[in-house]
Amino acid sequence: MPLTVEDVDLFERARGRLEAIAYRMLGSASEAEDAVQETFLRWQGADVGRIEVPEAWLTKVLTNVCLNQLTSARARRETYVGQWLPEPLLDGDPMLGPADTAEQRESVSYAVLTLMERLSPNERAVYVLREAFDYPHREIAEILDLTEAASQQILHRAKKHIAEGRTRTEIDRAAARRIVEEFLEAATSGKTEPLVRLLTSDAIAIGDGGGKVPARAKAFEGARAVATFMRGLFKPSAAKRALVGGSAGIHLATANGRPAIVAVVDGRVVGVTCLEITADGITAFRSQVNPDKLTRATEVWAAAEHGEPLFHAF
């Protein structure tokens, strides 16, 4: 039976929540859109009139689609060129979903999305549904065909894995922004020592170019190594300008709810560096420069006013 206008409207009202769940599950906006579209196709093929709780049905179908994608994604990432990092979402992107609680904000941070790659598909699903969307374990158990006790145990394991990767607590947004401003000023000074002082001793820097843009697949480790790399990164050169198609305007922005550095050339986002900042200093730089993972960022960037860049690099 074809969908009625009411059936389509019901799905469209759920789309934002479904996309936010899928993005957290998959770490990719494009894959999240595909998962939601597949869910819609299954909605079209279902006997909608017999579905008692459409929201629960849609969430279950979407979650299973994402679980299948995660399984195949692991195989694809084994052949991925260089380091795989999530697709960053800029401030204002509706796919970021709810951000009312600390758990919701944490679940979409770039650092946690990266750590979630360590989780099994079921651990990731339980973590996302419980922490980001506050689903009770009873409903999660029904979605994943588990017992309620198993859902609780899986969440405990997932939170433990993520906590092990985050030994320090991040600071508030205003303080973090000030540190990023200091970093950018230091990075353009041409001196290494001011940068070293802003970093933790075990700081890392890593990038995802997807084999299309040169990026450091193996992380730079340690404050001095990272500072030296970052100083060189902001040093102008004809080769860098040729690579990105011009001189990049550097903006201080927000990605995945945290301070980020966005490089823009003629309205096109060519790089997003997400920073992990603690009370001890900057502990991680994760740079997404794979153009395939910056399409949505460019669209969101173009839809908002950002003012003049802080400076032009390269």
Side-chain angles (χ1 to χ4, degrees):
M1 181 181 297
L3 294 178
T4 65
V5 172
E6 290 76 13
D7 295 334
V8 174
D9 285 346
L10 189 154
F11 184 88
E12 290 304 320
R13 288 196 300 273
R15 182 182 290 274
R17 178 179 58 84
L18 296 175
E19 286 187 344
I21 292 173
Y23 172 69
R24 285 167 167 81
M25 286 275 290
L26 301 169
S28 164
S30 58
E31 290 180 9
E33 289 173 340
D34 291 344
V36 172
Q37 183 59 25
E38 175 62 26
T39 302
F40 179 70
L41 293 175
R42 297 191 188 187
W43 178 246
Q44 278 186 313
D47 187 351
V48 173
R50 301 185 65 178
I51 297 174
E52 294 182 4
V53 187
E55 179 182 293
W57 188 93
L58 290 170
T59 304
K60 183 180 179 72
V61 170
L62 175 80
T63 301
N64 284 315
V65 169
C66 288
L67 288 173
N68 289 336
Q69 286 200 25
L70 281 172
T71 301
S72 60
R74 291 196 167 196
R76 291 197 306 275
R77 287 169 195 171
E78 287 178 2
T79 58
Y80 190 82
V81 178
Q83 174 71 39
W84 188 95
L85 290 174
E87 184 174 345
L89 296 184
L90 298 180
D91 195 29
D93 194 318
M95 197 176 279
L96 287 167
D100 299 325
T101 68
E103 290 79 10
Q104 288 170 340
R105 293 188 293 273
E106 182 85 345
S107 71
V108 80
S109 73
Y110 206 70
V112 167
L113 284 176
T114 303
L115 287 169
M116 278 203 275
E117 289 295 303
R118 303 178 180 183
L119 305 183
S120 70
N122 265 7
E123 286 173 343
R124 192 159 183 161
V126 172
Y127 182 85
V128 168
L129 292 172
R130 180 61 185 162
E131 294 295 290
F133 294 90
D134 203 28
Y135 277 80
H137 283 289
R138 173 181 53 78
E139 292 184 25
I140 296 173
E142 291 173 0
I143 289 169
L144 296 174
D145 295 322
L146 302 166
T147 65
E148 193 169 339
S151 176
Q152 292 170 339
Q153 291 170 353
I154 289 171
L155 177 66
H156 177 74
R157 286 202 306 270
K159 291 175 73 172
K160 184 172 183 290
H161 289 321
I162 289 174
E164 286 171 351
R166 292 172 65 77
T167 56
R168 291 181 288 253
T169 303
E170 293 194 20
I171 59 177
D172 68 79
R173 184 180 294 191
R177 187 179 180 90
R178 287 195 297 272
I179 290 174
V180 180
E181 289 171 345
E182 288 182 43
F183 163 77
L184 288 172
E185 184 177 347
T188 55
S189 71
K191 299 176 182 178
T192 303
E193 289 307 320
L195 284 172
V196 172
R197 289 195 291 271
L198 291 169
L199 308 179
T200 61
S201 61
D202 58 351
I204 64 165
I206 197 163
D208 176 351
K212 300 184 177 184
V213 174
R216 177 76 173 187
K218 188 177 185 302
F220 287 97
E221 299 181 358
R224 187 158 296 279
V226 171
T228 301
F229 167 68
M230 285 295 173
R231 187 193 65 189
L233 185 65
F234 287 100
K235 187 176 181 180
S237 76
K240 291 174 188 172
R241 289 192 293 274
L243 181 65
V244 299
S247 179
I250 302 300
H251 297 260
L252 178 54
T254 303
N256 294 76
R258 302 292 195 276
I261 299 166
V262 178
V264 182
V265 175
D266 295 330
R268 177 172 51 91
V269 175
V270 297
V272 177
T273 297
C274 298
L275 293 86
E276 189 173 354
I277 305 172
T278 72
D280 300 320
I282 304 172
T283 191
F285 299 85
R286 297 182 177 92
S287 299
Q288 184 56 260
V289 293
N290 181 347
D292 293 344
K293 296 184 182 182
L294 294 172
T295 301
R296 188 179 179 96
T298 294
E299 293 171 356
V300 172
W301 187 264
E305 181 60 44
H306 301 283
E308 292 299 312
L310 298 175
F311 59 89
H312 281 82
F314 314 151

